[in-house]
Amino acid sequence: MSAAWIPVLCLGVCLLLPEPAGSEGAVPIAITCFTRGLDIRKEKADVLCPGDCPLDEFSVFGNIVYASVSSVCGAAIHRGVIGNSGGPVRIYSLPGRENYSSVVANGIQSQTLSRWSASFTVTKGRSGTQEATGRAVSTARPATGKRLKKTPEKKAGNKDCKADIAFLIDGSFNIGQRRFNLQKNFVGKVALMLGIGTEGPHVGLVQASEHPKIEFYLKNFTSAKDVLFAIKEVGFRGGNSNTGKALKHTAQKFFTADAGVRKGIPKVVVVFIDGWPSDDIEEAGIVAREFGVNVFIVSVAKPIPEELGMVQDVAFVDKAVCRNNGFFSYHMPNWFGTTKYVKPLVQKLCAHEQMMCSKTCYNSVNIAFLIDGSSSVGDSNFRLMLEFVSNIAKTFEISDIGAKIAAVQFTYDQRTEFSFTDYSTKENVLAVIRNIRYMSGGTATGDAISFTVRNVFGPMRDSPNKNFLVIVTDGQSYDDVRGPAAAAHDAGITIFSVGVAWAPLDDLKDMASKPKESHAFFTREFTGLEPIVSDVIRGICRDFLESQQ
């Protein structure tokens, strides 16, 4: 009897695989929604997918050919082999490949993946005869006799630990296969404790050896379980421990928008060094700092005195880290019994306020706008003032851990339009600025400054961000501005004063921080506010950089 041939894959060329005789009536193995291709350790298998799987919880990577970390049932629904009511599926194992594409199909968004060690494809399976007991179970989740509870990990992740982290592991012959596996186990424990999720930390992995290799990017996985599977699949590469080369590559190629870097989130690379690097790491540390990347060095098994002659630079840790202040270096005596080191390292990685190298004027400032709403302004000119405020605000990376914006409108009275903690996204801030209602009244700028220092900046006194106040006014104040402005300066608030029309130059200089010439601006017309936007932004960044030195 001749063997039957079935088509498996058509990518320009159709691939036919022989179907062994005697498989016609094989009973498919019952699996769960979350069984992955790598859980089925056969070249070909018939499986039975359950119905009503949650489509939004599937992890699927690729199209037609799927990375083995993908859900089998998710891939089957994605390809159209079965519907969400479940059914029989035949799975064929295939070699790994360099790229897996992202495609939306049948209600499932598959994800891209740069490389994976094994693949599979799926076709319509044979139903066979399922025993009434249904004893066949998934290899991915244990049968307990009880209804399986959903994983306790929330999709959002740990919102108090926002960071984009690259783990740069040592894959050289210096560490060896055994310690390489122990290193992976430790990295997996750290990743698990971080609380990875869509709104929490995102992680990726780079292996340093003869040539650096990005194993997976920030965007590839947003759940801890998928990251753990990905780490487990990483193979040992060998070669020299060219850590400097790998760190430079990571700073330049890993932290990009296309790779999943998020605006306003600290960029961190955790470098694991077993012994010492075989190349120059100081230059790589400088490059990383230029790219705003916080470098952590986790050193294991420091070189003994007899080995120091082989180390290019005994102070390599101090020269590579983000800041040589003790925070960015971490030492473990060896790779055994490392569990106790996991939590302290995670606490460091989650301390975003101490990530000095990713702090810029765009993500580490508090800017309050004091807006003149007096009768002399008029409604149309007031709109131009709001446009001026919006154009400055939209330049900054506004988030709950980044730049913060507030606004106060004043006449004789003051009205807090919104505080620093009211809105944590740029879209919301710009929307509320557009909707500020014009008050109309007199002009008491001094009282307004005191009000803003007390009520807007007061609650932020413990903030790590640098404080700025931008005052926009069109006339002379009826009260003293010099005393309130001096008090604001003493409180660490840098003031930019912007005058229009009848605003006296003396008042503007009295309010502005020193040097007065670069902190006070004037224009005759409200339309002249637009060119001042870039001057104020440059001034804020200049003052921020000077404060960091």
Side-chain angles (χ1 to χ4, degrees):
M1 180 177 177
S2 61
W5 292 78
I6 59 172
V8 174
L9 174 65
C10 287
L11 290 174
V13 178
C14 285
L15 176 66
L16 298 179
L17 293 182
E19 179 183 2
S23 63
E24 187 72 28
V27 177
I29 303 169
I31 62 175
T32 74
C33 303
F34 305 101
T35 302
R36 301 154 298 153
L38 58 85
D39 294 317
I40 299 174
R41 303 181 183 277
K42 295 181 180 180
E43 291 188 7
K44 185 194 77 170
D46 285 309
V47 298
L48 184 65
C49 287
D52 300 321
C53 289
L55 299 184
D56 60 337
E57 293 188 17
F58 279 132
S59 292
V60 178
F61 302 90
N63 180 42
I64 303 178
V65 175
Y66 302 93
S68 62
V69 74
S70 304
S71 159
V72 173
C73 297
I77 296 174
H78 183 266
R79 196 177 177 195
V81 170
I82 60 172
N84 201 31
S85 58
V89 174
R90 178 161 289 178
I91 175 173
Y92 294 88
S93 64
L94 296 171
R97 56 193 304 176
E98 288 298 319
N99 290 291
Y100 297 87
S101 59
S102 171
V103 176
V104 178
N106 301 309
I108 295 177
Q109 169 73 68
S110 69
Q111 301 177 57
T112 58
L113 190 59
S114 59
R115 184 180 72 87
W116 202 253
S117 58
S119 311
F120 68 88
T121 190
V122 288
T123 64
K124 187 72 176 176
R126 304 179 187 278
S127 59
T129 305
Q130 184 68 34
E131 294 180 9
T133 56
R135 292 178 183 270
V137 295
S138 164
T139 55
R141 297 191 179 187
T144 61
K146 298 180 181 179
R147 185 174 180 178
L148 288 171
K149 294 182 179 179
K150 293 185 90 172
T151 174
E153 179 188 20
K154 295 182 180 179
K155 282 187 171 185
N158 181 6
K159 296 181 181 180
D160 295 327
C161 181
K162 291 190 175 179
D164 286 341
I165 303 171
F167 291 111
L168 179 54
I169 62 174
D170 188 348
S172 68
F173 288 136
N174 187 50
I175 191 172
Q177 179 73 62
R178 184 189 182 199
R179 284 179 292 167
F180 179 76
N181 290 334
L182 292 171
Q183 178 186 214
K184 288 201 303 179
N185 290 339
F186 178 75
V187 172
K189 291 175 184 177
V190 173
L192 187 62
M193 185 170 283
L194 280 169
I196 297 164
T198 54
E199 297 179 44
H202 291 182
V203 304
L205 190 73
V206 183
Q207 185 174 173
S209 56
E210 194 70 34
H211 302 287
K213 174 64 177 177
I214 297 176
E215 301 290 352
F216 58 89
Y217 289 96
L218 296 165
K219 68 179 181 180
N220 291 142
F221 308 107
T222 55
S223 73
K225 65 180 180 65
D226 288 339
V227 167
L228 292 178
F229 295 147
I231 292 172
K232 182 180 178 183
E233 290 289 307
V234 172
F236 177 60
R237 295 176 63 82
N240 288 325
S241 56
N242 292 330
T243 309
K245 183 178 180 180
L247 176 56
K248 193 173 181 179
H249 182 78
T250 303
Q252 295 172 328
K253 304 296 184 183
F254 181 90
F255 292 102
T256 66
D258 290 341
V261 166
R262 298 167 290 176
K263 284 189 175 182
I265 303 295
K267 294 177 286 189
V268 183
V269 56
V270 184
V271 184
F272 292 91
I273 298 179
D274 186 290
W276 60 91
S278 56
D279 63 346
D280 180 24
I281 198 172
E282 181 180 4
E283 181 189 353
I286 294 170
V287 171
R289 288 192 288 276
E290 289 175 351
F291 278 82
V293 177
N294 298 274
V295 178
F296 277 80
I297 300 290
V298 178
S299 56
V300 184
K302 289 181 178 179
I304 60 177
E306 292 78 9
E307 296 172 325
L308 289 176
M310 293 181 283
V311 182
Q312 289 190 21
D313 188 347
V314 293
F316 68 86
V317 172
D318 292 339
K319 293 179 179 179
V321 292
C322 167
R323 289 284 192 278
N324 182 15
N325 58 5
F327 177 79
F328 293 94
S329 56
Y330 197 68
H331 179 69
M332 298 190 301
N334 53 60
W335 289 111
F336 301 95
T338 57
T339 301
K340 62 183 177 182
Y341 298 104
V342 173
K343 187 175 180 180
L345 179 58
V346 168
Q347 289 173 334
K348 286 194 173 196
L349 299 181
C350 292
H352 60 80
E353 70 280 357
Q354 296 194 55
M355 300 296 179
M356 300 303 297
C357 285
S358 56
K359 288 187 178 296
T360 69
C361 64
Y362 298 108
N363 64 21
S364 301
V365 294
N366 300 324
I367 307 172
F369 293 93
L370 190 52
I371 308 168
D372 189 344
S374 61
S375 301
S376 57
V377 174
D379 189 67
S380 60
N381 288 333
F382 185 74
R383 293 295 126 194
L384 291 174
M385 292 171 76
L386 295 183
E387 186 176 337
F388 169 77
V389 170
S390 293
N391 286 337
I392 293 175
K394 71 183 181 183
T395 305
F396 295 87
E397 297 175 9
I398 301 166
S399 73
D400 55 353
I401 64 168
K404 299 183 185 301
I405 306 293
V408 174
Q409 186 179 174
F410 72 97
T411 56
Y412 282 137
D413 297 317
Q414 307 85 31
R415 183 172 75 200
T416 302
E417 301 294 350
F418 60 97
S419 296
F420 287 125
T421 55
D422 287 343
Y423 303 100
S424 59
T425 68
K426 185 179 298 187
E427 293 74 16
N428 287 341
V429 166
L430 297 180
V432 75
I433 290 173
R434 284 194 300 268
N435 291 324
I436 291 176
R437 293 177 291 104
Y438 175 44
M439 289 173 65
S440 185
T443 308
T445 314
D447 280 349
I449 294 173
S450 298
F451 174 88
T452 305
V453 170
R454 183 174 61 254
N455 295 289
V456 177
F457 286 102
M460 303 295 289
R461 61 174 55 91
D462 295 327
S463 170
N465 289 2
K466 182 168 175 57
N467 293 322
F468 292 90
L469 175 61
V470 180
I471 303 171
V472 192
T473 180
D474 85 322
Q476 185 166 11
S477 176
Y478 289 109
D479 62 359
D480 172 60
V481 297
R482 186 176 300 177
H489 298 154
D490 291 342
I493 301 168
T494 300
I495 296 180
F496 288 87
S497 58
V498 181
V500 189
W502 306 108
L505 191 57
D506 287 345
D507 276 8
L508 298 177
K509 288 186 176 180
D510 285 341
M511 293 185 292
S513 294
K514 295 178 181 180
K516 304 290 185 180
E517 295 73 21
S518 59
H519 291 82
F521 302 92
F522 177 78
T523 176
R524 286 287 179 192
E525 305 293 336
F526 281 88
T527 52
L529 286 171
E530 183 179 354
I532 298 175
V533 169
S534 58
D535 292 328
V536 173
I537 294 169
R538 278 196 297 268
I540 289 172
C541 286
R542 177 198 62 232
D543 292 348
F544 175 83
L545 288 173
E546 289 177 357
S547 73
Q548 300 297 297
Q549 295 172 356

